[in-house]
Amino acid sequence: NSNNNKTHTTTPQHNPPHFLVVVLTWDRKTNARVSRQFQERKVSKTYLALVHGVPTETGVVNQPIKRSATSFPSYEVHPEGKPSETTWQVLKSAGNIALVEFQPKTGRTHQVRCDVGFEYSSPNRL
């Protein structure tokens, strides 16, 4: 969706729970290597979600994201935000429920929540 005039705010406490993965290393050399891989964006992240409504089979969300000026600690899709890109693919669907895989290509805070929330609230949903 290319409509950058619309904003969508996401507040963490109003969203579904999520899982945290912690990477532990045993020595400084390995820690430096793993840290460098995250910094150089060589680590890919994948999120799975059950969504109400079946989106198109695949897609991309390209919307800028910034911290909300009015609702801390929320983030929102906003024309003045930093570039953000998330791809998605429907893995399975049954009735009006879909299992969707999301892959953020940039590393913005609450990126998947903002992008999906923006797309789901737009007239031409996902």
Side-chain angles (χ1 to χ4, degrees):
N1 186 338
S2 61
N3 180 6
N4 282 341
N5 295 327
K6 183 169 105 175
T7 61
H8 176 79
T9 302
T10 181
T11 305
Q13 63 267 26
H14 295 133
N15 287 293
H18 60 277
F19 296 99
L20 173 67
V21 175
V22 177
V23 178
L24 301 174
T25 58
W26 294 107
D27 57 67
R28 290 182 184 188
K29 183 178 178 182
T30 304
N31 187 60
R33 187 177 310 139
V34 170
S35 294
R36 188 171 52 252
Q37 289 174 342
F38 273 92
Q39 289 170 351
E40 295 172 355
R41 305 259 185 243
K42 292 182 178 178
V43 176
S44 64
K45 299 171 186 167
T46 300
Y47 298 82
L48 297 176
L50 287 174
V51 298
H52 184 264
V54 180
T56 57
E57 194 171 311
T58 62
V60 179
V61 182
N62 289 299
Q63 296 295 331
I65 295 174
K66 71 173 232 166
R67 185 182 296 270
S68 173
T70 59
S71 181
F72 181 80
S74 300
Y75 284 77
E76 64 187 5
V77 169
H78 193 281
E80 297 173 6
K82 294 180 181 179
S84 173
E85 180 179 322
T86 301
T87 62
W88 81 82
Q89 176 179 358
V90 175
L91 301 178
K92 288 192 177 238
S93 63
N96 204 23
I97 303 293
L99 175 62
V100 183
E101 176 185 272
F102 295 96
Q103 292 189 324
K105 302 301 180 187
T106 50
R108 306 288 172 235
T109 302
H110 300 300
Q111 175 176 330
V112 173
R113 291 176 180 174
C114 287
D115 286 345
V116 173
F118 181 83
E119 287 297 314
Y120 256 76
S121 65
S122 72
N124 54 349
R125 297 175 40 174
L126 292 179

